[in-house]
Structures are given as structure tokens and as C-alpha cells.
Amino acid sequence: MQDSFIKAGVIGYPVKHSKSPLLHEHWITRHQKQGAYNAIEVPPEKLENMVQDLIDRGYAGFNITLPHKQTIMHLCTDIDDTARAVGAVNTVIIEDGRLYGRNTDVFGFLENIRAAHPDFAFTGIHALVLGAGGAARAVIYGLIDAGAKQITITNRTRAKADDIAASFADLAAQHDCRLSVLDWDDRDSGDAGAAPAETDLLVNTTSLGMTGKPSLSYDVNALPSSAMVCDIVYAPLYTDLLSDARARGLRITTGIGMLLHQAKPAFAAWFGVMPDVDDLLEQKILKA
Ligand SMILES: NC(=O)c1ccc[n+]([C@@H]2O[C@H](COP(=O)([O-])OP(=O)(O)OC[C@H]3O[C@@H](n4cnc5c(N)ncnc54)[C@H](OP(=O)(O)O)[C@@H]3O)[C@@H](O)[C@H]2O)c1
């Protein structure tokens, strides 16, 4: 049974790095809610027992970070279409002792771009997605759902891009969206294919460019002057890709908003208020 003091948290292993407690505690204070949001370290072998403990302790739900985003699905009574298609649950709502699995990364990705560029329309666009990991699946699902007409995926390991394209083929066909795969070496070469030159939106979903990782080599001159460039890496906030795009006069979207916006539906489900993302929160999270 849940009491009036609302408990939520994030489970992971490790989990200390998570910015989610700071984010949700900010909104708990802002909305004067009686509640708490904790980081809970859950080793893989203890997942089932520790989740049962959260249920017994009356938790309203929890976020999930690595390495539990797939394994938690086995414990869920219900998984929504988005989480099923993306293949990962990052938010669980607990009701009557049952777990309801959701994926809010898709919402976070789309909402971030919409908030930064309210005039940007996804309908009919050509998107070029760099990367084919977990985050790419959420981005590609979001782009299909939002009405993209053509999505080109390119990844260092081409087989993973082929796998994603195959797994989203039916969904894309239902939405009249064409999926194709481009060799990683051709990602910014106008000669090798029409993809870069026709791109309305370029999204980096690789970990390249992140602090401590190798940099991403991408020639933004391959893109048309109308293109928007989005990097979901947010540390640093302005990656070399975004700095190059900005220097060329292209519109850009940083990655921090995806992290902030993806947390909103979870907070709303547990605490009953849809919170806002503002500059104060963004600065707080970036400084943490
Ligand atoms: N803003 C947000 O809210 C948000 C949300 C989720 C993720 N992210 C960020 O997105 C990034 C990817 O996350 P993920 O969960 O998708 O990770 P992931 O599943 O491990 O995928 C990593 C991706 O990066 C590529 N990559 C790694 N090293 C590379 C290299 N040296 N050269 C070329 N490609 C390389 C991988 O290519 P291969 O397949 O060839 O290995 C793969 O496509 C991370 O930086 C993460 O912090 C941000």
C-alpha cells in the first residue's frame, strides 16, 4: 500500500553517477510534494528481491539505468508499446503490487527538440542517425512516430545498424517511412550517397564526443544549410559536432534537454504533477 509520503528512486549498478535524484528532488521541492527520490544500488543477482522490497515498502515506482533496462521487463505485468519497440524500460510505475514498464527516452528526445525549436516539424523530414546502440533505438522510434519520411542509420558496426533497420521495418512501413543504412565511412561524404546532402536533421547517438571518449569526426559541410544538428551527448554540453554546426550557422539542439524531459512523465505518474524544465534546473544538473 502507498502512503501519502511518495517514494520513488532509480535503480542501477552502479547508480551513484545518476543525476535523476537531483532532478526529481528539485521538482519535489518546487511542487511542495511530500516525498523522496533515492538512488538505489541493485546488483543484477538481487534485482527481483530488491524490486519486491520496493513494492513492499510502498514505492510509487522507479527509474531504471544500466544494467537493468532489459531484465526489468521480465518482472513487468505490462510494458507499453514504446518500451517494447525500443527494447528497454527506463521507468516503472507500481500499482497494486504490479509493475508497469514504460520508456520515456523517446518522449525526452522529441520534446527536447520541440522545446528548443518550436517551429521545427518532424513530419516529412529526412533524418540521419549516427549510432545504433540503445539510445539510437529510442531516437529512431521517435522519428518514425513523429512522421519522418526517411531515416538513414550509420554505425561503426554496420551489422547493428542493419539489425535496427530490420527490427523497425514493419513500423516504418506502417508510417510510410523509409529506413536505410549507410556505411560509417560515408557518414559525411556527399559523393557516396544522397543522405548527408539531403538531411533535415542529423542526430548523434554515439558516445563519441563525450568527455573521456574519442571525438566524433564529422564534416558538417556535408549537410545543407537548412539542417538541424542534435547531439544527445550532454557532457560537454557543446560537443565539437555542435560547435562546428553552430559555426557553420546551422540550428543545433544540445543533449541535456533529453535527459530532463524524459524524467517528466515519470514524475507526473508518481507525484501527480507534470513538471517543467527550465534554465535553473538545466544549470543545476549541468553543474552537478
Ligand atoms: N541525453 C540523454 O538523455 C541521453 C540518453 C541516452 C544516452 N545518451 C548518450 O548517448 C550515448 C550512447 O548511449 P547508448 O546507451 O546508445 O550507448 P551504447 O548502446 O553503448 O551505444 C554506443 C554507440 O556508440 C558507438 N561508438 C562507441 N565507440 C565508438 C567509436 N570509437 N567509433 C564509432 N562509434 C562508436 C557504438 O558503435 P558500435 O555499435 O560500433 O560499437 C554505438 O553505436 C552516450 O554518450 C550516452 O550518454 C544520452
Side-chain angles (χ1 to χ4, degrees), residues 131-136 155-157 160 184 205-208 210 214 232-234 255 258-259:
N155 192 49
R156 173 182 61 174
T157 310
K160 283 167 70 179
W184 181 245
T205 75
T206 73
S207 46
L208 295 175
M210 192 177 162
I232 71 163
V233 167
Y234 58 83
M258 178 173 172
L259 176 77

